[in-house]
Amino acid sequence: MDTVLVTGGAGFIGIHTVIALLEKKYRILIIDSLINSSKKSIERLISKNLLKKESINSQIIFINGDIRDVNFLRSVFKKASKSGHIIKYVLHFAGLKSISDSILFPDEYWEVNVIGTKRLLKVMKENNCHNFVFSSSATVYSLDEKSPLKENSSLSPNNQYGYTKLAVEKFLEGLVHDQERFWRIVCLRYFNPIGAHPSGDFGESPLNTPNNLFPYLCQVASKKRKKLYIFGQNWPTSDGTCIRDYIHIMDLAEGHIAAIDYIKSGAKEPFLIINLGTGLGTSVLELVKTFENVNNLRIDYEFIERREKDKAIVYADPNFAKRILNWEAKRNIFDMCKDGWNWQKKNPDGY
Ligand code: NAD
Ligand code: UD1
């Protein structure tokens, strides 16, 4: 049983990926500072024991700590090797992700997202662990680029958050370039992950007012918020609202398993950047209507002004992922709306 270190594993994408890793029989070490999540996600995962594994208590270990703390990271690797479970792969989700906060607190975003990642890589190297999967974002693409976005489309983030993601990608590329003998690195550029685990026991659990469309929509559906405000109705799209590439969280999680498999099978390319999206665009209104129809409810909404620096149409070209990772999204927008609402209904206040 190989051991995977999952940073930020208590968060939205992390916990769903841990579920996918469990299914593939990995041993999982989670580290998280819990700054944007709760330990309850992990406790629930262990207590629910979805896969009915007797070994669940030893298969997942959680350690609370910060990726900026080198001594903490060293202790994690030491503990793992002392127990005979050397860390073989690192899935790096830990990071700060609010665009608006990144503009208000750029120092903190660079500290956590860039310096924190560099410290993690340093401790990995000290421990002879060189297999790394990084959570990047479609936000690195230029606003001027036309969709479908390919991995070699031009890059130009328009906020500090995006710059931190691009900076890490570049650092990783340089690392592999200089030390190709060692590193095997996959950067995954996520499009718009939404939905929840089909059990309804795991999902997105925002601690503050959600910035993104889907968690906000779910909270309107559960009457936590009065109405949805749609940013603009005169975009150059068929119904006037923006189009995005929404991807089911479990498809995204499985994309990480495919990335590990790629590294495991010898990683022909030591450094890769890969889009994780469906290749399909859905407008805000289409998403709202689908959510209403699938779940048999009504969403109150109002059009307001466009959001600053928004873009009319963003969707991925997912062909590279299909070719290289042999991965493609299997779930559709109906599944995303059904599973997302199931989670919200069962857990109106999160975990
Ligand atoms: P999340 O906030 O739910 O999860 C991130 C986790 O990292 C949280 O549990 C948080 O407590 C932890 N964390 C933050 N700073 C830390 C630190 N210094 N040390 C240790 N742990 C720390 O976010 P998510 O949606 O699960 O995103 C995971 C990753 O994917 C992030 O790096 C994010 O930038 C990236 N990403 C997310 C999206 C998205 O739409 N959710 C899109 C593109 C990229
Ligand atoms: C946002 C981030 C992007 C990140 C992506 C996935 C911004 C500017 N960009 O992009 O960096 O990679 O999430 O996490 O935040 N909308 C509304 N009302 C709302 C919220 C959103 O109408 O209350 C609209 C937006 O105008 C957009 C669509 O819904 O057209 C999706 O918005 P959102 O969920 O924030 O995702 P992105 O805009 O793709």
Side-chain angles (χ1 to χ4, degrees), residues 7-15 31-38 65-69 72 92-98 111-113 116 134-139 161 165 188-194 204-205 207 212 249 252 256:
T7 75
F12 174 45
I13 304 176
I15 198 74
I31 58 174
D32 201 304
S33 66
L34 303 177
I35 190 152
N36 197 38
S37 56
S38 155
D66 196 302
I67 53 160
R68 287 168 293 181
D69 180 348
F72 163 69
H92 181 38
F93 299 102
L96 302 176
K97 64 166 182 177
S98 154
E111 263 290 317
V112 173
N113 292 2
F134 175 60
S135 297
S136 192
S137 167
T139 198
Y161 167 71
K165 289 289 170 190
L188 298 173
R189 288 186 184 148
Y190 311 150
F191 280 68
N192 294 62
I194 62 167
E204 189 164 9
S205 182
L207 297 183
N212 296 116
I249 186 67
L252 192 86
H256 294 77

